[in-house]
């Protein structure tokens, strides 16, 4: 095995071999001779006879001069930046990695892996068209950890446990899972007495998280992860990873030394003018120096590895705008790392999704660099929430979000799926809590409710928190259905949050990153309790109006798609939309040419029922409209199978208060005639 690391200013590099993960002393030490084992700034050594499963780490000596950005500490065992496996001792201690003492017994360590031994049985990434993709953002552990999951205790919360629940994802109609971070992370990077549950605290960019394996065998996480990917692919479900290339778990100037800081602090991190301090564009203490040549190569090599060796289908880049910053923190016009990712032939066809902002105020939704990146559309989330809450001055923005956010993306002449449409995600309220709480309730996080966002645009429907009031519960169900309908039927790439389809709650906590408990776990008893909502979402996904793979394959732009299918906006009167700031309703006509169908959308966020005139269908029949969906109606009339839609008798349709209605009609000649 050849071992190689980059360190510009090191004076001594030692390769340490351990027999066990919690050994206080290495069993064997190889000191690298700078005259033999160094080329340029790469320290390397070929060690014969090394086998898969060998535990190892590094110890690096050099100057400790924080004012110059140099922080060598030869008392610390360092992870290999390119290590494929990380093992965590049972007595692992983040605190020991911060103190001025030897931490060998309590340090995470790397493990040798032979990636060629796994049998993929012909598996390859699926490359499903984006226009046929519905993303389900989920947490590996949280999906099956709850006792109600029915998964055996020894496999709950693991990659293997997730495999057992694939039939559920298939039944719901999910075509891609977006996994919260699965790179090995530091679970102790959190307030005392709590745990970093989400995983946005990476210590490795190659190793799958050990705690999500059902086995303590050091090599098990890699093969279990691959088993999960292979099983999901067999079910027709793609795997997208939420990746964190904007910071690491080493924190600020007082943080622990795990890896990068101990090899080359100046190369791996963006430092302030006072080089003893770290730039903090991530809000977590440090910022990865993504456009440094060494770090760029690390990021590209990591992404290639997860595609080529682990067969993942795509990536969602956390705080991706940080990758547009240079070594001084300034925003670059053409960031090399982003263009490297975009233009790499090995990554062609891989789904790339950007969270196009950072924690320092840089907001690039609609202007993120590149020709193939998709973007989390935070404005879709905010404007749709505001509209259904009944806020004034929201209608025009809401209408634009329905049609792919043309005001944001139209200038780029890109396809509709550039916009990733979502109303909820891991960061914030669940959909149930969005309609159940006016305020965040994060007291259990231990920060006196100061953490988490304050601009939630939520509405509790009349009572704060859980209630047995049937009228309130009926209204909450209706609002949930309104949000789901809008997310799944708007032009763009829809994303749902795990458990929203059964109204999973976090008890009003909108920043549950440190809660490894039932606050975050999927309670499977909700599937029975909220089967009405589950049924609604399932039928909605089955139909997915306006999703046509042909448009994507032909590179039909958002502008062209709207011009081709749109037939006009209406208010309660045909062709008379009310765009005033006081308006809370709108109707829209569209044509599904390939299906020879006309569709009428009615969105009524007003608190009273409204009568909407319907267009006449030019097919010779007095009334040809059929009701597919009406969120104001009780189940099972709220949504029916498409071809079982009942006829609407009148040319006026009464849309209930705070409701969404979708009607359709056959259009033999594809024309609509106004009344």
């Amino acid at each position: 095995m050849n071992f190689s690391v980059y360190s510009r200013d090191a004076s001594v590099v030692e390769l340490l071999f351990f027999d066990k993960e919690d050994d206080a002393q290495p069993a064997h030490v190889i000191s690298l001779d700078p005259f033999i084992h160094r080329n340029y700034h790469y320290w390397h050594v070929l060690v014969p006879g090394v086998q898969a499963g060998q535990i190892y780490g590094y110890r690096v000596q050099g100057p400790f001069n924080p004012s110059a950005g140099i922080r060598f500490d030869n008392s610390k065992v360092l992870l290999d930046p390119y290590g494929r496996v990380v093992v965590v001792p049972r007595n692992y201690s983040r605190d020991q990695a911060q103190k001025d003492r030897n931490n060998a017994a309590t340090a995470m360590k790397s493990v040798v892996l032979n990636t060629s031994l796994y049998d993929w049985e012909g598996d390859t990434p699926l490359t499903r068209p984006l226009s046929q993709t519905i993303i389900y953002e989920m947490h590996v552990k949280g999906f099956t950890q709850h006792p109600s999951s029915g998964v055996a205790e020894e496999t709950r919360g693991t990659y293997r446990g997730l495999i057992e629940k694939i039939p559920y994802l298939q039944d719901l109609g999910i075509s891609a899972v977006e996994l919260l971070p699965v790179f090995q992370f530091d679970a102790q990077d959190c307030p005392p007495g709590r745990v970093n549950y989400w995983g946005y605290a990476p210590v490795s960019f190659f190793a799958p998280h050990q705690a999500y394996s059902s086995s303590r065998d050091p090599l098990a996480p890699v093969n279990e992860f691959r088993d999960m990917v292979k099983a999901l692919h067999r079910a027709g479900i793609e795997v997208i990873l939420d990746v964190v290339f904007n910071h690491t778990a080493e924190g600020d100037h007082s943080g622990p030394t795990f890896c990068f800081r101990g090899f080359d602090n100046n190369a791996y991190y963006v430092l302030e003018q006072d080089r003893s301090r770290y730039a903090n564009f991530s809000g977590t203490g440090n910022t990865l120096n993504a456009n440094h040549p060494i770090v760029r190569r690390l990021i590209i090599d990591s992404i290639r590895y997860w595609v080529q060796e682990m067969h993942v289908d795509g990536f969602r880049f956390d705080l991706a705008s940080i990758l547009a910053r240079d070594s001084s923190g300034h925003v670059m016009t053409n960031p090399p790392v982003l263009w490297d990712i975009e233009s790499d032939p090995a990554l062609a066809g891989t789904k790339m999704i950007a969270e196009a902002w950072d924690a320092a105020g840089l907001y690039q939704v609609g202007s993120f660099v590149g020709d193939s990146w998709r973007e989390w559309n935070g404005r879709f989330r905010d404007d749709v929430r505001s509209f259904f809450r009944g806020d004034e001055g929201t209608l025009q923005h809401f209408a634009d979000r329905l049609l792919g956010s043309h005001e944001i993306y139209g200038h780029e002449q890109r396809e509709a799926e550039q916009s990733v449409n979502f109303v909820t995600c891991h960061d914030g309220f669940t959909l149930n809590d969005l309609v159940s709480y006016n305020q965040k309730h994060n007291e259990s996080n231990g920060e006196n409710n100061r953490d988490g966002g304050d601009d939630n645009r939520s509405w509790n429907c009349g009572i704060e928190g859980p209630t047995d009031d049937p009228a309130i519960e009926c209204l909450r169900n209706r609002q949930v259905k309104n949000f789901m309908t809008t997310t799944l039927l708007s032009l763009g790439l829809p994303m749902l949050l795990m458990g929203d389809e059964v109204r999973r709650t976090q008890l009003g906590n909108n920043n549950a990153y440190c809660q490894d408990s039932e606050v975050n776990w999927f309670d499977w008893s909700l599937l029975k309790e909220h089967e009405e909502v589950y049924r609604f979402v399932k039928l909605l996904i089955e139909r997915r109006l306006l999703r046509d793979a042909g448009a994507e394959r032909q590179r039909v732009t958002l502008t062209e798609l709207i011009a081709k299918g749109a037939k006009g906006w209406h208010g309660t009167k045909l062709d008379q939309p009310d765009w005033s700031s006081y308006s809370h309703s709108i109707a829209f006509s569209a044509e599904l040419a390939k299906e020879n169908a006309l569709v009428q959308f009615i969105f009524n966020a007003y608190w009273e029922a409204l009568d909407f005139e319907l267009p006449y269908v030019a097919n010779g029949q007095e009334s040809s409209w059929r009701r597919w969906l009406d969120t104001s109606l009780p189940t099972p009339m709220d949504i029916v199978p498409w071809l079982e839609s009942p006829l609407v008798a009148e040319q006026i349709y009464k849309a209930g208060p705070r409701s969404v209605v979708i009607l359709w009609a056959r259009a033999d000649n594809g024309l609509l005639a106004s009344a």
Side-chain angles (χ1 to χ4, degrees):
M1 176 67 66
N2 188 59
F3 296 83
S4 178
V5 292
Y6 176 90
S7 183
R8 176 174 179 168
D9 297 313
S11 57
V12 176
V13 175
E14 294 178 318
L15 176 61
L16 316 175
F17 288 144
F18 295 86
D19 290 336
K20 293 184 295 183
E21 60 199 52
D22 56 357
D23 283 350
Q25 297 295 331
H28 187 57
V29 178
I30 300 175
S31 185
L32 278 60
D33 186 332
F35 295 102
I36 300 173
H37 300 123
R38 180 174 183 174
N39 291 90
Y40 184 54
H41 303 313
Y42 294 97
W43 299 73
H44 55 89
V45 61
L46 181 66
V47 184
V50 175
Q51 300 296 315
Q54 174 64 59
I55 300 171
Y56 72 100
Y58 288 92
R59 196 158 48 207
V60 180
Q61 297 181 33
F64 183 77
N65 185 5
S67 64
I70 300 175
R71 291 180 173 272
F72 290 106
D73 183 351
N74 66 352
S75 69
K76 299 297 180 287
V77 172
L78 304 180
L79 292 166
D80 182 351
Y82 275 74
R84 269 42 174 182
V85 178
V86 172
V87 65
V88 183
R90 293 184 186 276
N91 62 338
Y92 160 70
S93 171
R94 178 180 177 86
D95 184 58
Q96 291 295 313
Q98 294 173 273
K99 294 180 177 179
D100 185 18
R101 65 184 64 172
N102 188 306
N103 74 327
T106 62
M108 291 183 272
K109 302 172 182 71
S110 299
V111 184
V112 172
L113 173 72
N114 185 342
T115 60
S116 66
L117 299 179
Y118 185 78
D119 184 4
W120 277 105
E121 301 178 278
D123 177 83
T124 58
L126 297 181
T127 62
R128 179 189 291 273
L130 283 162
S131 50
Q132 294 182 346
T133 297
I134 291 184
I135 297 174
Y136 190 78
E137 190 198 33
M138 62 182 297
H139 190 282
V140 170
K141 181 174 184 177
F143 195 50
T144 63
Q145 184 64 34
H146 198 281
S148 64
S149 68
V151 174
E153 187 173 358
E154 60 271 18
T155 54
R156 289 177 195 161
T158 67
Y159 305 119
R160 187 167 295 171
L162 192 153
I163 293 173
E164 294 187 37
K165 288 297 185 179
I166 289 176
Y168 172 83
L169 298 172
Q170 288 180 292
D171 183 68
L172 183 58
I174 297 303
S175 58
V177 292
E178 183 175 302
L179 305 179
L180 265 66
V182 297
F183 291 3
Q184 182 64 47
F185 61 86
D186 180 15
Q188 294 182 12
D189 186 6
C190 58
R194 290 165 179 81
V195 63
N196 191 311
Y197 172 80
W198 283 351
Y200 292 92
V203 298
S204 170
F205 300 119
F206 293 85
H209 192 57
Q210 185 197 47
Y212 296 160
S213 170
S214 63
S215 170
R216 289 290 299 177
D217 183 326
L219 301 182
V222 177
N223 285 339
E224 280 198 27
F225 181 89
R226 288 165 152 179
D227 289 344
M228 178 193 69
V229 171
K230 187 163 58 176
L232 284 163
H233 283 176
R234 285 174 174 168
I237 299 172
E238 292 186 308
V239 179
I240 298 171
L241 302 186
D242 191 337
V243 293
V244 185
F245 290 116
N246 59 75
H247 75 279
T248 77
E250 291 187 308
D252 62 15
H253 63 280
S254 64
T257 298
F258 295 133
C259 176
F260 311 101
R261 172 179 290 162
F263 282 111
D264 199 316
N265 193 56
N266 276 305
Y268 283 107
Y269 293 110
V270 177
L271 304 179
E272 298 283 7
Q273 188 171 1
D274 173 2
R275 301 192 70 76
S276 67
R277 294 293 190 268
Y278 294 83
N280 188 19
F281 299 109
S282 66
T284 59
N286 65 51
T287 302
L288 204 65
N289 194 6
N291 284 291
H292 186 286
I294 297 302
V295 186
R296 279 169 55 195
R297 184 175 296 115
L298 175 76
I299 292 172
I300 294 297
D301 288 346
S302 168
I303 297 171
R304 284 178 181 159
Y305 174 76
W306 288 95
V307 170
Q308 295 173 336
E309 299 293 340
M310 307 296 269
H311 287 206
V312 304
D313 303 270
F315 304 89
R316 178 265 185 188
F317 289 73
D318 178 64
L319 298 181
S321 289
I322 286 180
L323 275 65
R325 295 185 182 271
D326 64 16
S327 295
S328 299
H330 299 125
V331 180
M332 308 173 75
T333 303
N334 289 296
V337 68
L338 293 178
W339 284 112
D340 284 351
I341 295 169
E342 167 118 357
S343 61
D344 192 317
L347 303 176
T350 301
K351 292 177 171 63
M352 300 294 180
I353 301 171
E355 184 183 33
W357 56 82
D358 68 18
L362 179 59
Y363 195 79
Q364 296 180 311
V365 173
S367 61
F368 196 76
V369 172
D371 298 325
S372 63
W373 288 85
R374 272 65 190 175
E375 299 171 15
W376 268 26
N377 190 345
R379 291 177 62 182
F380 180 97
R381 172 199 60 206
D382 295 343
D383 292 335
V384 171
R385 287 183 177 193
S386 293
F387 176 75
F388 282 114
R389 188 171 66 171
D391 293 356
E392 292 184 357
T394 61
L395 180 59
Q396 292 193 42
H397 290 313
F398 173 78
D400 189 66
R401 303 300 161 259
L402 290 175
L403 298 188
S405 297
H406 189 263
E407 68 177 12
I408 300 174
Y409 298 109
H411 68 284
E412 296 190 358
Q413 292 298 298
R414 290 275 305 280
E415 61 277 11
E417 287 75 24
Q418 183 176 359
S419 173
V420 177
N421 297 337
F422 68 102
V423 171
T424 57
C425 65
H426 69 277
D427 190 3
F429 280 145
T430 65
L431 193 51
N432 174 83
D433 293 357
L434 185 68
V435 302
S436 303
Y437 295 91
N438 283 349
Q439 308 294 332
K440 64 184 181 182
H441 296 269
N442 298 358
E443 292 82 3
S444 61
N445 294 352
E447 300 182 42
N448 296 318
N449 209 35
R450 292 190 302 267
D451 63 308
D454 294 316
D455 182 17
N456 297 294
R457 310 191 187 198
S458 60
W459 178 48
N460 64 17
C461 295
I463 295 177
E464 188 76 354
T467 179
D468 294 328
D469 187 321
I472 298 293
E473 274 296 282
C474 181
L475 178 55
R476 287 177 177 175
N477 272 347
R478 187 182 308 175
Q479 288 285 75
V480 166
K481 294 172 187 177
N482 291 341
F483 284 122
M484 283 290 191
T485 302
T486 304
T487 301
L488 286 163
L489 299 187
S490 296
L491 288 179
L493 175 58
M495 184 184 81
L496 309 181
L497 173 64
M498 178 187 84
D500 275 354
E501 71 279 6
V502 293
R503 288 184 55 184
R504 183 178 71 87
T505 180
Q506 291 174 180
L507 305 178
N509 192 325
N510 75 347
N511 188 36
Y513 78 101
C514 59
Q515 300 290 332
D516 188 3
S517 66
E518 293 189 14
V519 170
N520 267 315
W521 301 341
F522 192 121
D523 181 351
W524 290 84
S525 68
L526 295 174
L527 185 57
K528 178 63 176 178
E529 182 178 346
H530 293 294
E531 58 184 344
E532 169 188 343
V533 176
Y534 179 84
R535 172 188 174 273
F536 183 91
V537 176
K538 178 181 175 180
L539 285 174
L540 199 58
I541 289 174
E542 279 183 7
R543 188 57 186 86
R544 270 178 37 232
L545 293 175
L546 303 179
R547 294 289 186 271
D548 180 6
E552 182 181 348
R553 294 191 182 100
Q554 299 166 22
R555 303 292 294 179
V556 176
T557 68
L558 172 60
T559 302
E560 293 169 332
L561 196 60
I562 293 173
K564 190 175 182 179
K567 293 299 177 183
W569 295 102
H570 315 284
T572 55
K573 300 292 185 181
L574 285 175
D575 302 315
Q576 298 179 38
D578 180 1
W579 296 112
S580 72
S581 62
Y582 302 103
S583 178
H584 299 281
S585 64
I586 194 71
F588 176 69
S589 303
E591 181 178 6
L592 302 180
K594 289 194 174 183
E595 301 188 33
N596 194 35
L598 304 167
V599 184
Q600 185 77 355
F601 298 85
I602 300 173
F603 297 90
N604 180 23
Y606 193 53
W607 38 91
E608 295 179 7
L610 296 175
D611 291 331
F612 286 82
E613 292 181 353
L614 301 180
Y616 283 97
V617 181
N619 60 7
Q621 298 184 34
E622 183 175 338
S623 178
S624 300
W625 290 106
R626 295 176 176 272
R627 186 194 73 239
W628 174 51
L629 180 155
D630 184 338
T631 63
S632 70
L633 297 177
T635 190
M637 294 182 290
D638 53 350
I639 187 172
V640 298
W642 181 262
L643 295 180
E644 297 177 18
S645 303
L647 281 169
V648 175
E650 307 292 336
Q651 284 298 126
I652 300 289
Y653 193 93
K654 182 179 290 293
R658 304 187 190 276
S659 68
V660 176
V661 176
I662 299 178
L663 314 173
W664 69 275
R666 300 193 184 281
D668 296 331
N669 54 15
L671 295 176
L672 286 174
S674 297

